[in-house]
Amino acid sequence: MSVFIQRAIQADIAALVALEDQIFEIYDGRLNRRTFRYHSDNKNLLLVAKSGQKDDQVMGYILVLVHRLSARIYSIATHPECHRQGIARSLVQNAIATLAAKDISRISLELRQGNSRALALYTSLGFKKRGIYPSYYGDGEDALRMQLNCSVV
């Protein structure tokens, strides 16, 4: 299956909201239509993975908040039918390359401490553990903080 990574456009927003609602719980702070619209039109990085088929299905997305010299992976999701196909890896790798080209020196993120698949992905891409945020998520689960120094990528 071909996967194309590109910046999100306004036409992707309905699919992004549907994916968000399918993947995340309300207490996780789901992103809504207005939030996706805002991030698709500013300096932040909102990338989508599309199927490249006639229907051009949105298979996943990554939202990265961009600051002057650093960035934070705020949210990433892949459609449940597309798990274990390398889509999240492609999204993160594309984001890293895009940010490095903008001279971003550091990328940080938080993930659920119990999310072993995400931890393995980020570790394989060079992210290092930097600490824990206790009771970070709405259900009380801790968040693991990770960071990538782009100068060593």
Side-chain angles (χ1 to χ4, degrees):
M1 174 189 315
S2 298
V3 176
F4 298 94
I5 309 293
Q6 64 187 48
R7 278 190 165 275
I9 58 174
Q10 294 295 314
D12 298 326
I13 291 177
L16 290 169
V17 171
L19 179 59
E20 186 81 359
D21 289 348
Q22 186 175 11
I23 299 295
F24 297 107
E25 299 294 332
I26 292 174
Y27 57 72
D28 285 328
R30 283 186 197 152
L31 301 177
N32 59 31
R33 180 176 305 280
R34 188 173 127 203
T35 304
F36 279 120
R37 191 175 311 118
Y38 171 80
H39 290 295
S40 69
D41 286 335
N42 70 16
K43 67 180 175 73
N44 293 325
L45 185 61
L46 179 57
L47 300 175
V48 292
K50 291 188 173 181
S51 64
Q53 304 296 319
K54 186 175 181 181
D55 65 355
D56 217 18
Q57 175 191 1
V58 171
M59 302 164 69
Y61 79 87
I62 187 170
L63 172 59
V64 183
L65 307 181
V66 180
H67 306 288
R68 208 173 116 237
L69 297 174
S70 66
R72 176 178 171 232
I73 297 177
Y74 184 79
S75 186
I76 184 169
T78 57
H79 194 282
E81 294 175 5
C82 302
H83 284 183
R84 316 275 312 155
Q85 295 180 27
I87 294 168
R89 177 176 295 280
S90 294
L91 285 163
V92 176
Q93 288 173 322
N94 194 293
I96 291 169
T98 301
L99 295 166
K102 295 180 179 202
D103 294 325
I104 298 297
S105 61
R106 183 180 68 242
I107 304 170
S108 62
L109 60 88
E110 298 84 30
L111 68 142
R112 287 181 175 273
Q113 194 167 22
N115 190 341
S116 58
R117 286 192 346 203
L119 177 59
L121 169 66
Y122 293 124
T123 300
S124 74
L125 293 171
F127 284 83
K128 305 290 183 206
K129 295 177 187 176
R130 293 291 183 235
I132 293 176
Y133 289 130
S135 301
Y136 184 80
Y137 292 98
D139 62 356
E141 186 173 354
D142 295 345
L144 179 60
R145 292 179 17 227
M146 298 189 82
Q147 183 176 304
L148 175 71
N149 292 321
C150 297
S151 58
V152 298
V153 174

